[in-house]
Amino acid sequence: MRRLIYLAPVAFFGLLIAAFALGLGRDPTILPSTLIDRPLPAFDLPAVRSGDVGLKTSDEAGQPRLLNVFASWCVSCRVEHPVLLALKAQGVAIDGLDWKDEPTDGAKYLVDQGDPYRLAGNDKTGRAGIDLGVAGVPETFIVDGHGRVRYKVVGPISPDQWAAVIKPLMDKLRAQG
């Protein structure tokens, strides 16, 4: 009986080490999304830019597009922004969702930094972001031409990530129609 008392802490410590070892083997940048292969949740957001139409789920481009969640107060979004502008120059369709931000601040951000978005909607309350499972900005969803989420990027898109992962997926989705 005494042996079991002494072995219990050793067994617990062994289990703790095994749990940490499993955690170290996982990539922390990959956050699974429950939306993969599902339609975008329904939203209808007012425009960020004055005189624009806003952004809603039914705004399907008929082709793959990026849905980029950003905010004027987001430092990482400023790091990602030149990449988005370069993608727009290449003809990539990008929609913007201005998350937990004042519409005037989002509009000023787009004027000051450049506007990479085809359509841009303001999610001041954060409700659409909650439905999308957004944990922070920036996050980008790759959406096929039928409005289904195919991939999610957490954090800023880098040129390397675009070339290695996102562009091949977009090309594949374009080929599938």
Side-chain angles (χ1 to χ4, degrees):
M1 184 66 169
R2 279 187 164 189
R3 242 185 199 178
L4 289 177
I5 292 173
Y6 291 117
L7 289 178
V10 173
F12 175 75
F13 187 68
L15 289 172
L16 191 60
I17 289 174
F20 284 133
L22 283 173
L24 288 174
R26 296 191 178 157
D27 185 350
T29 61
I30 298 174
L31 297 176
S33 173
T34 59
L35 290 177
I36 302 298
D37 294 328
R38 291 189 174 166
L40 279 172
F43 56 80
D44 188 354
L45 302 172
V48 171
R49 304 170 289 227
S50 63
D52 207 351
V53 294
L55 180 67
K56 54 189 167 193
T57 305
S58 61
D59 291 327
E60 295 179 15
Q63 65 176 342
R65 69 186 188 281
L66 304 179
L67 175 60
N68 179 253
V69 183
F70 73 99
S72 65
W73 46 263
C74 168
V75 175
S76 296
C77 296
R78 292 176 189 272
V79 171
E80 176 184 60
H81 209 76
V83 175
L84 297 177
L85 291 170
L87 295 178
K88 179 185 179 182
Q90 295 173 27
V92 177
I94 309 170
D95 293 335
L97 190 150
D98 186 16
W99 189 58
K100 293 187 176 182
D101 205 359
E102 293 293 328
T104 53
D105 294 341
K108 183 177 181 334
Y109 172 79
L110 294 178
V111 168
D112 293 347
Q113 302 296 316
D115 189 349
Y117 304 115
R118 181 180 70 103
L119 300 169
N122 178 264
D123 183 21
K124 183 177 178 179
T125 65
R127 181 74 236 172
I130 290 170
D131 293 343
L132 287 165
V134 172
V137 285
E139 288 188 14
T140 304
F141 297 86
I142 290 78
V143 182
D144 69 16
H146 305 288
R148 290 186 168 278
V149 175
R150 296 303 179 181
Y151 191 75
K152 178 181 177 182
V153 178
V154 176
I157 295 173
S158 69
D160 291 340
Q161 189 177 31
W162 167 257
V165 179
I166 302 167
K167 185 179 184 321
L169 177 58
M170 296 281 285
D171 291 343
K172 178 182 172 186
L173 292 173
R174 264 190 217 96
Q176 291 174 350

